[in-house]
Each structure stands twice: as structure tokens, then as C-alpha cells.
Amino acid sequence: MTFDLQCTDSKTNARAGIITTAHGQIETPIFMPVGTVGTVKAVHLTELSEDIKAQIILGNTYHLYLRPGLEVLEKAGGLHKFNGFSRPILTDSGGFQVFSLSGIRKLREEGVEFRSHIDGSKHLFTPERVIDIERTIGADIMMAFDECTPGKASFEYAKQSMELTHRWLDRCIDRFKQTVPKYGYAQSLFPIVQGCIYPDLRKRAAEYVASKDAEGNAIGGLAVGEPTEKMYEMIELVNAILPKDRPRYLMGVGTPVNILEGIERGVDMFDCVMPTRNGRNGMLFTQNGIMNMRNKKWEYDFSPIEPDGASYVDSIYSKAYLRHLFHAQELLALQIASVHNLAFYLWLVKEARKHIFAGDFATWKADMVKRLLTRL
């Protein structure tokens, strides 16, 4: 994998670049649709590739390990062959799922023992096991196994958690070096910076991760309950330390405004379930603000979802029709809303990239933030 840093904004830390992987190039800043179990929920592959124009998607190690399972994925030739997505794929490590399964898991030095949320069966994730699983999934970019620290954790807990993540990282790197890709193309391993909301810990974690000289680096453990301003503070601190010539990935963030704030602070890659999850619940993100498609105000509004929209759905379907579909509980409502929101997120990062090159990112971003926060 290579990263070509093409442009840095003169007034902020916003950057534009190109990541090159075995499955193609990714123009940054980029948003990655979340394909948890090998599919982006309610979105057809053709829409994902041609209408949304996703350059990279994310798969989830924990969920793919449970379903369809490693035997199926290996026999298929990896996730690319299994789901038909020919462009780059990134897999997370399962660390966040371990965090969210706190009631049914046991954390220790060796790894994490947990029970499946599907059938209650017992499993063990170690750093070595996770690397082996990600090799079998076959993602272009693999995440190191970490513990995602709760946003309101005490300093002492966050310190112990960060140190455990660092020991696990060393084991992940060793296992990565001991193994080879299974499907004939290169894979990259990204470490994850933890440390909760404590500047001293984030600084130590960023320095430790930077010392590993990985092909890219990630920032984890944010947007998990901490104040938004603390999240932005931690991003600034970490990005001042992480190498500038490697891509920076902010995991699981977030709203359109969060993404613009992250870009301004030097983040290159984002993912979040928000566009599809909120879309399935009737919330649409647009260039002029947020729409709740269940509201009565759209009942007789036969105008396009977004006149200058970012995907084909905006010109085909009206607000009134989409509202009708939600109230009639038609599955098409979920599909239209998901495609629209993902296309909007991809439009947003593409526009950010354009304004970074144009030299007016700060002015454009300030105007966009005001518009994005509007409730229509």
C-alpha cells in the first residue's frame, strides 16, 4: 500500500491524497460505508459501486467470523470474491464489538473470551487469532486488535487499557510478519491509538504507534461517550504526532459535521453506521440540513429529495413518495434513504477534497457546518 499526500490546506491541517492498494486507488479524504457482515445494509452492490461510488468499504471481523464463518470465506477466496465488491476493503479488529459486549466477555492478557450474541457459544480472540482471521477475510487494510476504552473511563483504567492495547499490538505485528496473504495480493496492518480523553495517554499512545512505522494509523476510542470537544482535542493532539506521510483513520466517526471537523484536523479516512442506520429510521442528511421523512410537512411535497442531489435517487423520488413509503413500512424506503445518505457522505468528502485543492476549505467548511446543523 502507498499513500501520496497531494495537498495540504494552507489555513488548516486538512489534506488530500491518494491511497493505492491491490484493489485500486482511494482518494482522500474518504468515507467508508460499513458492510458489517459482508453487505452494506439495504444497499445493492450495483448501487454501492455505480451510484454511491464507494471507493472502499468496511467489514467487521467479529461478525464475519461468526457468520458466514472462516471456512466459507476461505473457500470463496476471501471477502472480495464472496460479496463481489472489487474495490478495496478494510476490516476492523473486533475490538469495538468486544467493548460493546461487556456483559458477555472476559478480558485478560491472553485476549478476550466472549459468547456469541447469536447462539451463546464461547470463543476466544487473541491478537494472533485476529490476525489469522483478517488474513482469511482478505481485506486490503487490517486493523490491529485493541481494547476500545469507554469514553468516561477513569485515568487508571484508561492507562491499563492503553498498555494492554500496546502489548497486543506488538503481538499483532509479530503474527503479521510471520504470516502471508492467502489470496495473492498484499495486505496492510494499521495500529490503533487509544488513551481515552487523557492528553498524556493519547500522546504516549500516538508516539508508541508512530514508532511502529506502519503503512497507516488509526485513532480509536472516540465518539464512545466523551464530550464532542474532547474528541476534537484528542484528534488534534494525536495527528500532531502521527507521521504526515501515512494515512490517518478516525474509527467510527460520525455525523457530517464530525467528519468536516476531523478533516480540518488532518484525518484522511472515516467510517460510521450513521448514514445507513439513521436512514433506515427516516433521517436524511442533505446539503441544506437534516430531514425527518416521517414528518407531515413532506406529505404534499412532490419536489426531489434534494434538487442538487448526490445520487440518482434524488431526481427519481419525491419527498412525498419517500414519506409515503416509510409510513407504509415498505422496504424500498430503507433502500432509498440508505443510498441517499451514503451518496451524500461521499459527496461531502469529495467536495472537501475539491476545496482543499482550491485553497478555500476553511471558508467552505464554515458555511457547510451551519447548513448541516439545520433541521428542515
Side-chain angles (χ1 to χ4, degrees):
M1 191 196 84
T2 61
F3 177 57
D4 176 21
L5 181 57
Q6 299 173 297
C7 181
T8 301
D9 182 59
S10 60
K11 297 179 180 178
T12 70
N13 289 314
R15 310 136 42 100
I18 294 181
I19 299 169
T20 303
T21 75
H23 285 94
Q25 292 188 330
I26 305 156
E27 295 182 340
T28 65
I30 192 65
F31 178 80
M32 301 179 284
V34 177
T36 306
V37 291
T39 176
V40 178
K41 282 185 173 60
V43 177
H44 191 279
L45 180 63
T46 303
E47 294 169 320
L48 191 63
S49 301
E50 297 179 10
D51 302 312
I52 298 168
K53 295 181 173 60
Q55 298 181 44
I56 177 173
I57 63 172
L58 181 144
N60 183 271
T61 293
Y62 166 85
H63 288 285
L64 290 166
Y65 162 78
L66 293 176
R67 287 187 301 200
L70 301 184
E71 185 177 359
V72 171
L73 288 168
E74 187 153 20
K75 287 185 176 180
L79 184 56
H80 288 93
K81 295 282 184 65
F82 187 58
N83 72 0
F85 189 72
S86 60
R87 297 192 58 79
I89 294 176
L90 178 149
T91 42
D92 66 12
S93 66
F96 180 78
Q97 280 62 45
V98 167
F99 159 73
S100 61
L101 293 171
S102 58
I104 52 174
R105 52 91 163 159
K106 294 179 181 177
L107 186 67
R108 54 179 186 265
E109 186 69 32
E110 181 186 7
V112 180
E113 184 182 277
F114 62 91
R115 290 192 178 275
S116 164
H117 71 284
I118 301 167
D119 60 9
S121 56
K122 189 180 292 187
H123 303 269
L124 177 65
F125 270 11
T126 65
E128 294 80 9
R129 180 64 171 145
V130 166
I131 293 298
D132 291 347
I133 293 169
E134 292 190 87
R135 287 289 199 197
T136 298
I137 294 171
D140 299 86
I141 299 172
M142 304 161 45
M143 305 308 300
F145 192 47
D146 66 326
E147 185 195 359
C148 181
T149 315
K152 296 180 181 179
S154 68
F155 179 88
E156 190 57 37
Y157 182 94
K159 179 175 178 289
Q160 292 175 2
S161 174
M162 177 198 72
E163 291 170 348
L164 177 63
T165 288
H166 291 173
R167 293 192 296 274
W168 283 358
L169 172 59
D170 290 339
R171 290 165 58 188
C172 283
I173 292 171
D174 288 344
R175 187 65 167 192
F176 184 76
K177 290 178 178 178
Q178 292 163 5
T179 56
V180 296
K182 293 188 173 185
Y183 309 115
Y185 55 85
Q187 295 176 278
S188 300
L189 177 66
F190 282 22
I192 302 172
V193 176
Q194 290 289 348
C196 198
I197 58 170
Y198 302 104
D200 290 350
L201 298 184
R202 284 286 176 179
K203 181 175 183 292
R204 280 181 54 192
E207 289 171 347
Y208 193 81
V209 162
S211 73
K212 301 304 173 181
D213 196 30
E215 292 180 287
N217 301 291
I219 307 169
L222 293 175
V224 288
E226 79 286 352
T228 303
E229 287 309 313
K230 277 291 182 184
M231 174 174 73
Y232 297 151
E233 180 188 335
M234 295 304 104
I235 294 169
E236 286 185 21
L237 187 157
V238 168
N239 279 346
I241 298 169
L242 293 179
K244 291 181 170 58
D245 61 347
R246 311 293 164 87
R248 303 160 176 163
Y249 164 32
L250 179 59
M251 304 181 73
V253 179
T255 68
V257 171
N258 291 158
I259 288 174
L260 292 185
E261 296 290 351
I263 291 172
E264 183 177 64
R265 290 162 173 80
V267 175
D268 306 297
M269 305 168 70
F270 303 84
D271 81 282
C272 190
V273 298
M274 185 171 284
T276 48
R277 177 178 290 171
N278 288 29
R280 295 194 304 274
N281 287 294
M283 178 185 284
L284 263 62
F285 299 100
T286 77
Q287 298 170 43
N288 294 307
I290 300 167
M291 295 193 296
N292 182 344
M293 298 314 301
R294 299 180 186 276
N295 285 354
K296 189 172 178 60
K297 69 182 295 183
W298 312 120
E299 185 174 10
Y300 297 103
D301 189 334
F302 303 108
S303 65
I305 295 171
E306 189 166 19
D308 299 318
S311 80
Y312 80 103
V313 300
D314 298 324
S315 59
I316 294 177
Y317 302 113
S318 70
K319 300 181 184 75
Y321 181 62
L322 183 54
R323 177 186 182 275
H324 156 70
L325 293 178
F326 271 109
H327 280 275
Q329 298 184 353
E330 284 289 340
L331 295 178
L332 182 58
L334 315 185
Q335 185 176 6
I336 292 172
S338 297
V339 170
H340 166 84
N341 279 350
L342 286 173
F344 171 73
Y345 269 61
L346 267 295
W347 173 88
L348 186 67
V349 294
K350 187 175 181 180
E351 284 293 299
R353 177 180 167 85
K354 184 172 77 176
H355 287 281
I356 291 168
F357 279 112
D360 63 352
F361 172 81
T363 304
W364 170 82
K365 178 250 177 182
D367 176 62
M368 279 303 304
V369 166
K370 292 178 185 176
R371 290 162 59 184
L372 293 170
L373 291 172
T374 303
R375 292 274 177 171
L376 298 175

